[in-house]
Amino acid sequence: MLLLTSSSFSSFSFLPLSLPPLSILPSSSFSSSYRSSSLTTSPFRFHTPPSIFCSISSSSPSLEQQQQQQHSVSFSQMQNNLLHSRAYWVGESVIAWNVDDVGKEGFCYLLSSKHASLSISNCQIQGEDVKIKLQEDRAGLPANVVEKFPHIRGYRTFKLPPNLDVKSLLKSQLAVSIYDSDERCRNCTGLQLPGVLDELYSYNGPLGAHYSEEAISLYLWAPTAHAVDAYIYKDPSGDDPVEIVHLEEEHGVWITKGPKSWEGCYYVYEVTVYHPSTLRVEKCYANDPYARGLSPDGRRTFLVNLDFDQLKPDGWDNLANEKPVIHSFSDISIYEMHVRDFSANDHSVQPEFRGGYLAFTLLDSAGVLHLKKLSSAGITHVHLLPTFQFAGVDDQKENWRSADTSILESLPPDSDQQQALITAIQNFDGYNWGYNPVLWGVPKGSYASNPNGPCRTIEFRKMVQALNRIGLRVVLDVVYNHLQGSGPIDEHSVLDKIVPGYYLRRNADGSNENSTCMNNTASEHFMVERLILDDLVHWAVNYKVAGFRFDLMGHIMKSTMVKAKNALHCLTKEKDGVDGSSIYIYGEGWDFGEVAKNGRGVNASQFNLSETGIGCFNDRIRDALLGGSPFGHPLQQGFVTGLLLQPNGHDHGTEANAESMLAASKDHIQIGMAANLRDFVLTNSNGEEVKGSEVLAYGGTPVAFASCPTETVNYVSAHDNETLFDIVSLKTLMDISVDERCRINHLATSIIALSQGIPFFHSGDELLRSKSLDRDSYNSGDWFNRLDFTYNSNNWGVGLPPRDKNESNWPLMKPRLADPSFRPQKIHINAAVENFLNLLRIRYSSPLFCLRTANAIQQRVRFHNTGPSWVRGIIVMSIEDGHDGFPGLPQLDPIYSFIVVVFNASPKEVSFVNPSLKSRSLQLHPVQVMSSDELVKTSTYEVSSGCFVVPQRTTAVFVEPRHI
């Protein structure tokens, strides 16, 4: 998931009294910049805040009255302050507030109202039960507070008196206020409580439902709640509860024990709690945050014991011993896929299984046969887009709507009618990427053949088992950075109903941060972090997944990610049924929004994660290969799309500027091919020896960020933005042939496949997959997201993509979609599949392509076409091995002692001579010799001169076999 900028959202410091506070607007009210969900939710109940006003005389004012009015105007400016939470209760005895000097004659108070009765009238706060005088502490905030909340480091510090009953105060409406000596309120605001809640209520005991032989116990962390009741239901919907159970509080945790007969029933929590978004004590109805099952409508938590044998496929408990072996994370290659995309269009799958978990269990389906090919060639992991419970798709398929495929197929390839038909139903069909989290710990019901009962659990496990048995480990895409719902009413709100204002990160006014699209979570808070860690372990142990991809990982704290890695790696086969040391984690380390530059603590950004062993996506190599960025002009060209060598008419500046851009792109790509190591030394385009961290991009930031190869995930396309074939079709010269575009597609993929680090591929890139130029297909339905594993179609030209994210580029798209010469034929798709499989076979033919340490890469990998006199459009990389029994490098590869790879992005055949590469026994890799690509077979190497000749838009791999 990629975002534009946090500035895409509007924030307001003043709200008219006739409107509710911003923090209680439904999430759809925010102008989301990327992949926001236009969900239809139940009507949002706006709450009228208490009357807040200051009286001002309406008669002609005297001088004294004018002075009073001037004084009153300042009060009128703060009349909405109770709607905000600008102060922070950061420790049991410490409150921080960014307020003006109290003054010698001013006083600061903490006010509390158990029944949420605080209001302002005649410049006085009324309705408090308790009024506590605070003392300003000129020493400032304690160091531990500043470390946890760096964004408030300059706030004034106020101390509470000792021996207060703080825990009861935390259940009330709270405000701090400043009074003048004449007892007039000068300023007031609500409080944010996560700091004090963490200090007093951090908890490591049981949560959720726990099963014993005799009973079922429920545990809910809700320290600010007044009361918690569990409504127990026999069925997933309808009927009155069979029982209403009151939970008892113990140190902020609400607990009850029920009979074993509860198993298989459903429950909902009623939490009575003060909610700062409404300024009221609310009765909130919520699922259990630790839910492991749900009703089909998602409104009730299903009591399911995941250890129950009947929920386990045959052989499930032994699956850890069947998983494909991974000797090193450097051996990983990842294939990214959406569950529904995989089989929704596969007619070799029975209709009730299409688009769901069970499609992966059908060993003779077109999709599974394709996955078997990928696995046999070398792909190790399948990364599944979100499979937890998300909003945007009804789990009950009978409620779905669909467009008439026969009508869609009858329309012209450049028509805008297809997208109109699709967008008319897009919030009511079965499609969404799933980045709208509701409950992290429950498999998504829409992918199950039946969303009721334990079916989703059983089928998810069958999917994982089936993929493992064809040699593929499973990676889950986890979205811990935000939640779909918030507030006391939203049907998708869970955590914010149970401990309001705690789980979501808030800005200086107390409104929810939304830089991720909506409702950012706060992993810097203890119980948020704990929930994340518990959830990861749950998926690893109960579903035996082998990796996690973190959406917008940069919005999570680095410490949380390190703890996550450690928690997973501590799992063992003997104790937990899984080998946690083989679980790989990676994610999007983008640094933006309120967390940018460690604004909320040290976050999990690309540069901060160096030396952790946690992988980050390398956007530098993607942008250098393709040109520009996903947010730049779509015609900006890059290394493989024709920059300088085959201009497309876009203004890249002078020829000298285009040449400089091409040279810089080459440097960025070469660093990426060396695993984007910050200390890797190479000769740049100016002829200077530089480290990867000394090569700059993106406004002066270093290109390289990794300390070891597994910290870099190299990719050229992913689910976000256009597919590789589509972006190539946009950026290249319009009148080149489809054969040339297919070669460019393959060339770009080859650079990723043969680089050091972890290669990552978007499903369908090997099929020349098209989404008809859609740059953001998260909600574009099956029509624009179709995959065809029969290789008959790549889905090009199925209409102009949806208006919302693409209309500004329709004039560029329309002539391309209308031109039949752009559409690949089956022969092109078959060739692309073979070429991709061959790349994988080449990568895994030698351990030299998967070096395990930074030192090994620095010692063995060299780039030869460097300096200012480089041959334009080619990259030449060599990888050297040692020889057993001889000093120098250790021998790693028993078959090849030296490898040279020449990547020619030029539209013409290129010759490259390097004396340091002469007199070697190099020959074209046997996989390429045996391939059906006749062009690559014309690549040659001349021993006497060290001259390589490589045809246009071709990657040629030369190997030196060992002579035994």
Side-chain angles (χ1 to χ4, degrees):
M1 175 179 184
L2 301 177
L3 275 294
L4 295 177
T5 65
S6 58
S7 62
S8 302
F9 303 100
S10 298
S11 60
F12 303 91
S13 59
F14 176 81
L15 291 164
L17 284 175
S18 59
L19 293 179
L22 178 62
S23 59
I24 67 166
L25 291 175
S27 58
S28 60
S29 298
F30 294 105
S31 174
S32 175
S33 65
Y34 193 84
R35 203 203 295 156
S36 62
S37 174
S38 300
L39 299 173
T40 301
T41 60
S42 59
F44 197 91
R45 184 182 67 181
F46 292 121
H47 296 260
T48 304
S51 177
I52 302 174
F53 62 91
C54 283
S55 299
I56 299 178
S57 172
S58 61
S59 60
S60 299
S62 65
L63 178 60
E64 181 180 358
Q65 288 173 326
Q66 288 178 26
Q67 292 172 341
Q68 289 176 347
Q69 284 186 9
Q70 290 171 0
H71 199 153
S72 296
V73 168
S74 66
F75 285 114
S76 68
Q77 291 173 347
M78 63 86 180
Q79 61 185 344
N80 284 312
N81 282 8
L82 287 183
L83 301 177
H84 301 292
S85 298
R86 292 172 175 149
Y88 296 74
W89 196 339
V90 293
E92 185 171 6
S93 61
V94 181
I95 290 174
W97 189 7
N98 190 24
V99 70
D100 292 337
D101 192 354
V102 175
K104 292 182 179 179
E105 297 183 353
F107 304 95
C108 187
Y109 291 96
L110 172 66
L111 307 173
S112 168
S113 173
K114 182 177 180 181
H115 300 292
S117 301
L118 295 181
S119 63
I120 299 177
S121 180
N122 295 321
C123 303
Q124 297 289 332
I125 297 184
Q126 300 174 344
E128 74 273 14
D129 306 320
V130 179
K131 186 174 183 179
I132 301 164
K133 189 174 182 180
L134 305 179
Q135 185 69 42
E136 185 172 2
D137 183 355
R138 298 287 181 175
L141 291 170
N144 66 310
V145 171
V146 173
E147 181 180 6
K148 183 166 183 172
F149 304 111
H151 59 295
I152 64 169
R153 67 173 66 246
Y155 280 33
R156 292 189 183 276
T157 305
F158 297 90
K159 302 285 286 187
L160 287 89
N163 304 319
L164 282 179
D165 184 5
V166 171
K167 292 186 176 182
S168 66
L169 290 175
L170 293 173
K171 296 179 182 292
S172 303
Q173 181 186 18
L174 297 168
V176 286
S177 62
I178 293 176
Y179 285 82
D180 286 335
S181 58
D182 58 2
E183 297 188 357
R184 294 170 66 87
C185 178
R186 189 203 313 165
N187 203 346
C188 65
T189 190
L191 287 96
Q192 300 186 36
L193 304 181
V196 66
L197 291 177
D198 280 353
E199 182 173 308
L200 297 181
Y201 288 109
S202 293
Y203 170 75
N204 285 303
L207 289 171
H210 287 255
Y211 302 84
S212 67
E213 291 185 4
E214 304 83 19
I216 297 174
S217 299
L218 302 179
Y219 301 84
L220 181 71
W221 186 76
T224 62
H226 294 194
V228 177
D229 294 293
Y231 286 61
I232 311 296
Y233 297 90
K234 182 179 179 181
D235 297 313
S237 62
D239 301 328
D240 293 328
V242 296
E243 193 173 356
I244 300 175
V245 182
H246 182 70
L247 281 69
E248 298 295 332
E249 185 182 11
E250 294 181 13
H251 309 296
V253 179
W254 297 80
I255 305 169
T256 191
K257 181 179 287 188
K260 190 70 171 174
S261 61
W262 280 2
E263 191 166 344
C265 291
Y266 298 80
Y267 67 104
V268 174
Y269 283 126
E270 179 190 78
V271 182
T272 304
V273 65
Y274 171 75
H275 208 292
S277 70
T278 62
L279 305 182
R280 297 181 186 277
V281 176
E282 302 282 0
K283 285 188 181 295
C284 298
Y285 296 90
N287 281 302
D288 193 326
Y290 280 73
R292 299 297 178 242
L294 284 172
S295 59
D297 63 5
R299 295 178 181 274
R300 296 176 183 176
T301 301
F302 179 53
L303 281 160
V304 56
N305 183 357
L306 298 182
D307 290 331
F308 191 40
D309 285 342
Q310 291 185 349
L311 304 186
K312 300 176 182 179
D314 290 343
W316 179 253
D317 288 334
N318 192 49
L319 187 61
N321 297 317
E322 297 182 35
K323 283 186 180 289
V325 176
I326 293 291
H327 296 290
S328 165
F329 287 155
S330 292
D331 297 332
I332 289 173
S333 54
I334 301 170
Y335 186 75
E336 179 199 42
M337 177 186 298
H338 183 265
V339 170
R340 185 161 179 82
D341 287 354
F342 175 67
S343 61
N345 192 50
D346 189 345
H347 293 283
S348 65
V349 175
Q350 58 233 57
E352 62 270 27
F353 289 0
R354 288 178 198 161
Y357 303 128
L358 290 181
F360 292 90
T361 68
L362 304 177
L363 298 182
D364 295 324
S365 73
V368 171
L369 291 174
H370 184 76
L371 290 183
K372 287 180 180 179
K373 294 177 187 177
L374 299 182
S375 174
S376 297
I379 289 290
T380 62
H381 288 64
V382 167
H383 160 171
L384 299 176
L385 267 65
T387 52
F388 50 74
Q389 187 67 16
F390 57 80
V393 174
D394 194 326
D395 288 346
Q396 300 169 103
K397 298 178 177 64
E398 60 269 22
N399 296 332
W400 293 357
R401 301 180 194 173
S402 60
D404 188 327
T405 303
S406 63
I407 294 176
L408 294 169
E409 289 175 344
S410 70
L411 296 168
D414 62 336
S415 169
D416 65 356
Q417 292 304 299
Q418 294 96 326
Q419 64 86 32
L421 292 169
I422 294 301
T423 55
I425 61 161
Q426 66 181 173
N427 295 323
F428 309 99
D429 64 359
Y431 197 89
N432 196 288
W433 280 349
Y435 293 91
N436 318 312
V438 177
L439 283 162
W440 292 326
V442 183
K444 177 61 176 167
S446 66
Y447 296 144
S449 60
N450 180 356
N452 196 22
C455 194
R456 62 180 85 191
T457 293
I458 297 168
E459 293 182 5
F460 195 103
R461 286 172 165 175
K462 286 182 176 181
M463 173 186 68
V464 172
Q465 184 180 59
L467 286 167
N468 284 180
R469 286 178 171 174
I470 62 171
L472 296 168
R473 290 172 167 251
V474 176
V475 173
L476 294 192
D477 199 324
V478 289
V479 185
Y480 296 127
N481 63 83
H482 70 268
L483 290 163
Q484 175 66 27
S486 64
I489 304 299
D490 189 333
E491 66 176 295
H492 300 305
S493 176
V494 177
L495 297 173
D496 200 42
K497 290 178 177 178
I498 293 170
V499 191
Y502 178 82
Y503 286 95
L504 303 180
R505 188 178 289 135
R506 300 162 77 189
N507 65 20
D509 280 341
S511 299
N512 295 340
E513 292 283 6
N514 289 283
S515 55
T516 65
C517 281
M518 64 190 84
N519 300 318
N520 298 3
T521 55
S523 70
E524 59 271 26
H525 302 163
F526 182 91
M527 296 301 288
V528 182
E529 177 179 84
R530 184 195 157 172
L531 179 55
I532 292 171
L533 301 181
D534 288 349
D535 194 67
L536 290 166
V537 171
H538 153 64
W539 285 105
V541 172
N542 292 317
Y543 292 97
K544 302 187 188 299
V545 301
F548 295 93
R549 177 267 191 191
F550 285 75
D551 182 68
L552 295 184
M553 181 172 62
H555 269 65
I556 299 172
M557 292 300 108
K558 174 184 177 180
S559 58
T560 303
M561 292 302 303
V562 172
K563 289 175 187 176
K565 178 187 172 186
N566 293 338
L568 292 169
H569 285 196
C570 286
L571 301 174
T572 65
K573 289 184 183 180
E574 296 73 22
K575 178 171 61 76
D576 308 292
V578 294
D579 176 13
S581 67
S582 66
I583 296 175
Y584 180 61
I585 63 176
Y586 60 101
E588 295 176 313
W590 322 138
D591 193 38
F592 69 97
E594 76 281 359
V595 300
K597 299 180 181 178
N598 303 322
R600 294 299 183 101
V602 180
N603 63 320
S605 63
Q606 289 169 324
F607 294 101
N608 287 341
L609 284 180
S610 180
E611 300 185 359
T612 64
I614 296 169
C616 282
F617 283 100
N618 179 14
D619 49 339
R620 280 74 156 159
I621 196 169
R622 175 202 65 190
D623 293 348
L625 285 167
L626 299 177
S629 78
F631 312 119
H633 196 285
L635 295 186
Q636 186 171 335
Q637 292 178 291
F639 192 83
V640 302
T641 54
L643 178 62
L644 182 69
L645 304 175
Q646 198 169 55
N648 62 7
H650 178 67
D651 183 7
H652 292 93
T654 64
E655 183 174 342
N657 187 65
E659 183 162 346
S660 175
M661 291 170 63
L662 185 66
S665 296
K666 177 181 67 72
D667 288 348
H668 296 183
I669 293 166
Q670 290 176 161
I671 293 166
M673 296 187 70
N676 214 44
L677 296 172
R678 61 188 186 188
D679 291 330
F680 181 80
V681 177
L682 80 166
T683 302
N684 68 10
S685 54
N686 295 323
E688 305 162 334
E689 280 204 350
V690 294
K691 292 181 178 180
S693 59
E694 296 171 337
V695 178
L696 304 181
Y698 302 150
T701 59
V703 168
F705 53 76
S707 66
C708 69
T710 56
E711 289 177 355
T712 291
V713 177
N714 280 320
Y715 74 114
V716 72
S717 82
H719 67 273
D720 281 311
N721 312 309
E722 295 89 348
T723 67
L724 178 57
F725 183 82
D726 281 351
I727 202 68
V728 167
S729 297
L730 273 175
K731 291 179 179 289
T732 51
L733 191 65
M734 274 198 68
D735 57 5
I736 68 171
S737 69
V738 68
D739 303 81
E740 290 294 286
R741 291 193 182 90
C742 292
R743 295 199 71 81
I744 294 170
N745 194 98
H746 179 59
L747 176 66
T749 303
S750 72
I751 292 174
I752 301 302
L754 302 179
S755 293
Q756 303 296 328
I758 308 293
F760 176 99
F761 307 102
H762 178 42
S763 58
D765 279 353
E766 77 282 12
L767 310 172
L768 308 174
R769 181 185 189 177
S770 172
K771 297 180 183 179
S772 208
L773 300 175
D774 193 348
R775 73 172 305 273
D776 184 8
S777 67
Y778 82 99
N779 202 18
S780 298
D782 294 329
W783 180 254
F784 288 100
N785 285 287
R786 284 187 301 179
L787 274 171
D788 181 2
F789 290 118
T790 66
Y791 313 150
N792 285 308
S793 168
N794 79 328
N795 207 44
W796 172 267
V798 296
L800 286 165
R803 181 185 305 274
D804 181 39
K805 301 293 177 69
N806 299 281
E807 184 178 17
S808 62
N809 290 321
W810 279 2
L812 293 175
M813 298 173 176
K814 196 171 177 65
R816 289 167 168 81
L817 294 172
D819 188 340
S821 72
F822 273 72
R823 183 188 299 275
Q825 303 303 308
K826 184 166 186 173
I827 188 172
H828 297 112
I829 298 171
N830 279 319
V833 172
E834 183 197 349
N835 286 337
F836 182 73
L837 295 174
N838 285 342
L839 286 175
L840 294 172
R841 293 174 183 129
I842 291 170
R843 178 178 180 85
Y844 289 103
S845 71
S846 172
L848 298 179
F849 286 114
C850 308
L851 297 172
R852 298 182 181 183
T853 67
N855 189 48
I857 292 172
Q858 183 63 68
Q859 290 178 327
R860 298 167 186 265
V861 176
R862 295 286 182 275
F863 294 97
H864 299 277
N865 183 31
T866 59
S869 59
W870 70 292
V871 178
R872 305 301 181 257
I874 69 168
I875 292 173
V876 182
M877 175 183 71
S878 68
I879 315 175
E880 182 180 3
D881 199 13
H883 300 269
D884 282 345
F886 291 85
L889 294 172
Q891 180 177 316
L892 301 177
D893 189 340
I895 301 175
Y896 304 123
S897 60
F898 199 79
I899 298 173
V900 176
V901 187
V902 181
F903 304 90
N904 179 14
S906 168
K908 299 178 181 179
E909 178 181 274
V910 169
S911 297
F912 174 77
V913 179
N914 190 321
S916 70
L917 297 176
K918 68 180 182 180
S919 303
R920 288 197 168 271
S921 304
L922 290 167
Q923 58 190 44
L924 196 63
H925 197 289
V927 168
Q928 293 189 315
V929 171
M930 298 297 294
S931 79
S932 61
D933 182 354
E934 296 301 324
L935 203 55
V936 73
K937 293 178 184 180
T938 66
S939 305
T940 62
Y941 164 73
E942 186 177 76
V943 175
S944 61
S945 63
C947 177
F948 297 85
V949 178
V950 176
Q952 70 271 19
R953 293 180 170 131
T954 296
T955 296
V957 182
F958 298 89
V959 291
E960 185 174 71
R962 294 186 184 277
H963 300 289
I964 301 174

